[in-house]
Amino acid sequence: MKELSSRLFDKYTSIVLLLIGITFVWQSRNISESSYGSNVGPDIFPAGLGILLILLSIRLFYEVMKSPIDNKVDADKLRPDYKRFLLILGAAFLYAYFLEEIGYVIGTFIFLLFAFQVIERGKWLSSLIISAAFSCVIYYLFVQVLQGSLPGFPEWLHLSEEAASWM
């Protein structure tokens, strides 16, 4: 019975998320297309999130419809993990609060490293590599390729423009 209600919940959730995604894309068209000093306008991020939400909701709907009904459901799988959720939520607030002071690359690296360790303890090497690679690659793509603006490195690191320009 719980499996059936879980499937029903997932099905309706996918429909609601699909509608939210469509609304994001639709309303992002009303945002101006460019901002000062950036070729990437403020409409890109909400539109991208909307498209991602649409795709993920379609995938969820497909998975719910494809999966067989199983009456044997483990109770531990249905119980939410509030501790991990609250730790990552708190880290996200701290990340957003200190982003200007510590910069995107360092802040994102620390946030991702913390989140990976909260989700699955251990595997330090892979967590370090993925966090560093993601932070640097996204910064490079957004700032150099798309010519957007992100807070680079903090001033207290005393990095010269040439040292920071490799990103």
Side-chain angles (χ1 to χ4, degrees), residues 105 139-140 143-144 152-154 158-167:
V105 177
Y139 183 82
Y140 175 79
V143 172
Q144 298 296 324
F153 289 97
H158 303 293
L159 287 176
S160 67
E161 287 293 320
E162 293 173 11
S165 68
W166 67 272
M167 292 227 187

Side-chain angles (χ1 to χ4, degrees), residues 30 72 77 85 106 112-113 117 151:
N30 295 332
K72 298 177 184 179
K77 290 182 181 178
F85 172 75
I106 295 172
L112 287 176
L113 185 62
Q117 290 306 306

Side-chain angles (χ1 to χ4, degrees), residues 35-139:
S35 62
Y36 179 72
S38 176
N39 290 337
V40 179
D43 61 332
I44 297 295
F45 188 67
L49 281 179
I51 291 168
L52 183 65
L53 193 57
I54 290 169
L55 293 174
L56 290 174
S57 65
I58 291 170
R59 174 67 185 223
L60 176 62
F61 189 81
Y62 172 74
E63 291 294 326
V64 168
M65 300 310 278
K66 184 179 87 166
S67 67
I69 296 176
D70 185 15
N71 293 330
K72 298 177 184 179
V73 177
D74 190 8
D76 290 336
K77 290 182 181 178
L78 295 177
R79 192 172 310 137
D81 192 353
Y82 292 114
K83 181 181 176 184
R84 288 182 182 177
F85 172 75
L86 291 174
L87 282 170
I88 293 176
L89 182 66
F93 280 117
L94 289 172
Y95 169 69
Y97 183 77
F98 290 109
L99 184 63
E100 289 290 327
E101 285 82 17
I102 61 176
Y104 175 82
V105 177
I106 295 172
T108 304
F109 171 76
I110 292 170
F111 172 73
L112 287 176
L113 185 62
F114 178 79
F116 289 153
Q117 290 306 306
V118 167
I119 292 170
E120 185 175 354
R121 292 193 184 268
K123 297 186 179 184
W124 280 97
L125 184 61
S126 62
S127 294
L128 286 167
I129 291 170
I130 292 170
S131 299
F134 182 85
S135 301
C136 294
V137 167
I138 295 300
Y139 183 82

